[in-house]
Amino acid sequence: TGLGRQITDDAVFINLQHRTRPEETELLTGLARSGLRLDWARLFDGTGARKVDLPTYAFDRRHFWLLDDEPSGDPTAIGVAGAGHPLLGAVVAAPRSGGVVLTGRLSVGSTPWVADHEVLGEVLLPGTAFVELALRAGDEVGCDLVDELTLQAPLVFPGRGTVAVQVVVDGADEAGRYPVAVYSRGDGADGEWAQHAAGFLTAAQARPEPADLTAWPPPGAEEVDVTDLYDTLHDRGYGYGPTFRALRAAWRHDGVVYAEVAVPEQAHAEAQRFGIHPALLDATMHALGFGALGEGDSDPGTLMPFSWEGVTLHTAGVDTVRVRLAPTGATSVSLELADDTGAPVASVRSMTLRPVAAGRSGDDAGRALFEIVWTPAATPDTAATGLVAWATDVREVPAADAVVVRLDAVGGPLPGDTAVAALDLVHAWLGRPELAASKLVVLTRGAVAVRPGEDVDLAVAPVWGLIRAA
């Protein structure tokens, strides 16, 4: 900066003119912000400068607004227990049934690794996350086995906003199994809950001996080149980001596929908070095309997990696994997971996959985003039904179940003249109490784009917002 400075053990001396340059002022304020004590009185000696009182509010350090990054508080303060899980916030026990409800709120912002899981152009919560949620729910009711879990509809993440999630466990049935289901709904408390998965939890009676994965790579297995794996998966509709690109190596032997999977280093700490990280378990299935479901050069299409049976977690919080995938049917496999020493991590008796077509990853009830779909409607035969009246002025229209008024753009001098005409229409309607049982239908043209590429009439478009608000 061209400033002459002498640094000693306990002071910094800066030679300044009384009229400082901008870079000198920036240096001084930076020093002050870093905690150094500056002798301002000496700086202004001989300049005639004097102290003045500061304005009150701008320098008042008391905040009167809510900050988004403030913690939401201790859940025990409102009578519930903390879930201690990255996807769940609280646990509520049902005293009489013996069931439990686990709740959470998810978003791409709070769980950024979800954005790395895209299928056919949509960001989905991976099916392995539903397994993880079921395993966590089993901990609350003393069950260490997900006996079965069927995925009914994907959870599609919105680009913005959050999704509320609930894992509901009912009381045990006569066989000692606890029904479990996973639900979600978007922002707001008025939306319908969509069910994504349902199944049963139970306590494992006798666990089968897990596969021995101590010897690694597996003796006699042929190594498979995985260099182009994720390019191939992308062509099949899987848009995997860095967190899910976790397959490191693969081998096959007599129809059985072995693989080594490790989440990236930045996800190691987060993996310790899960029973098994959904990205880690999902990545174990990326090797299916190497032989567990047929020959590696065949194209099975875009497959998604449909059902899980006999899921047991032996060791929690690992970030690297060895996996053995063996076919149990035409579209199903068993999985055995071990850590990098060969110690058992998880077992899956059977996991079944089903193909999904583009645009059919879930129905409307399972989607977190909704859209308007336009369906052509025939003009009603008013002479035959007598239930609909068409009018241009509602001041004299006869009572009917529905009164349809066509409102085109009004050629006034101001852009808002059409909206003013709509407001007059609403006032006239509300001024006729005999029409209280009727429904007013305002027919517009060009107010919205019904088909892609259509122009919108900006004079008429505000009518929609006005009528909806009214």
Side-chain angles (χ1 to χ4, degrees), residues 106-118:
L106 307 178
S107 69
V108 175
S110 63
T111 52
W113 53 267
V114 169
D116 289 342
H117 186 263
E118 189 176 291

Side-chain angles (χ1 to χ4, degrees), residues 128-154:
T128 52
F130 295 114
V131 176
E132 167 68 11
L133 292 173
L135 287 168
R136 176 63 186 87
D139 294 339
E140 293 295 326
V141 293
C143 295
D144 56 358
L145 175 70
V146 179
D147 195 20
E148 61 181 76
L149 188 69
T150 301
L151 307 186
Q152 300 166 332

Side-chain angles (χ1 to χ4, degrees), residues 41 55 67 107 112 145 163 169-170 178 212 218 222 257 274 295 338 363 377 404 414 429 444-445 462:
L67 301 178
S107 69
L145 175 70
V163 177
V169 182
D170 295 325
Y178 289 80
D212 185 5
E222 172 193 2
V257 174
F274 286 91
E295 294 302 321
D363 55 19
V404 182
L414 298 176
W429 176 265
T444 62
R445 183 175 298 276

